[in-house]
Amino acid sequence: MTAFCLLLNSPKSIEMKPRILLIEDDQDMRELVAGHLVHTGFDVQRAEDGIKGHALALQYEPDVILLDLMLPKVDGLTLCQRLRRDERTANIPILMITALGGTKDKVTGFNSGADDYITKPFDLEE
């Protein structure tokens, strides 16, 4: 993942743990991914819906956002577009995480502002 490679080599990562915002509505998936990332050395904040995710993106100032597409309250595509329009979050890499793995779904995600796209299920090392 290019975003993570850049993140790990950034000057900020030398000073503190890289910050990841995980926005995922499925609690089991959220805790599994967050637990793995924490164990790997990341500082992880979690949100279970698009509204909380947006608020945390502004408050937490993450280095990377992992964003599920199918979220309650505000879906991932809408949230991605909002984050891209806001100068405070416009340059944060966004990786979509979703079960929607068709070419059309990926193109829609990229057109909404995503930097990368990971299809569920996936290996945690991915």
Side-chain angles (χ1 to χ4, degrees), residues 74-95:
V74 174
D75 68 85
L77 290 174
T78 301
L79 179 54
C80 187
Q81 293 166 350
R82 287 179 185 174
L83 293 168
R84 289 294 179 234
R85 286 192 305 261
D86 189 321
E87 66 183 34
R88 297 168 291 179
T89 55
N91 296 315
I92 299 171
I94 298 173
L95 287 76

Side-chain angles (χ1 to χ4, degrees), residues 7-122:
L7 175 62
L8 291 173
N9 293 318
S10 73
K12 194 183 330 181
S13 67
I14 295 169
E15 300 167 13
M16 63 171 96
K17 291 181 181 182
R19 296 175 310 231
I20 297 177
L21 173 56
L22 173 60
I23 308 171
E24 165 66 59
D25 64 322
D26 182 277
Q27 182 177 358
D28 292 336
M29 176 66 76
R30 190 173 59 247
E31 294 310 314
L32 178 69
V33 172
H36 178 74
L37 291 170
V38 168
H39 178 73
T40 309
F42 294 96
D43 178 24
V44 180
Q45 290 292 316
R46 303 159 183 89
E48 65 274 2
D49 64 59
I51 291 174
K52 289 179 184 174
H54 190 214
L56 272 175
L58 297 174
Q59 174 188 0
Y60 179 59
E61 299 177 356
D63 296 300
V64 172
I65 297 172
L66 302 178
L67 177 60
D68 186 18
L69 283 182
M70 297 182 286
L71 293 170
K73 300 183 181 176
V74 174
D75 68 85
L77 290 174
T78 301
L79 179 54
C80 187
Q81 293 166 350
R82 287 179 185 174
L83 293 168
R84 289 294 179 234
R85 286 192 305 261
D86 189 321
E87 66 183 34
R88 297 168 291 179
T89 55
N91 296 315
I92 299 171
I94 298 173
L95 287 76
M96 295 285 191
I97 301 177
T98 182
L100 302 174
T103 301
K104 184 178 178 182
D105 299 311
K106 291 179 183 180
V107 169
T108 300
F110 288 128
N111 286 339
S112 296
D115 295 291
D116 206 347
Y117 199 99
I118 301 171
T119 305
K120 295 176 191 174
F122 55 87

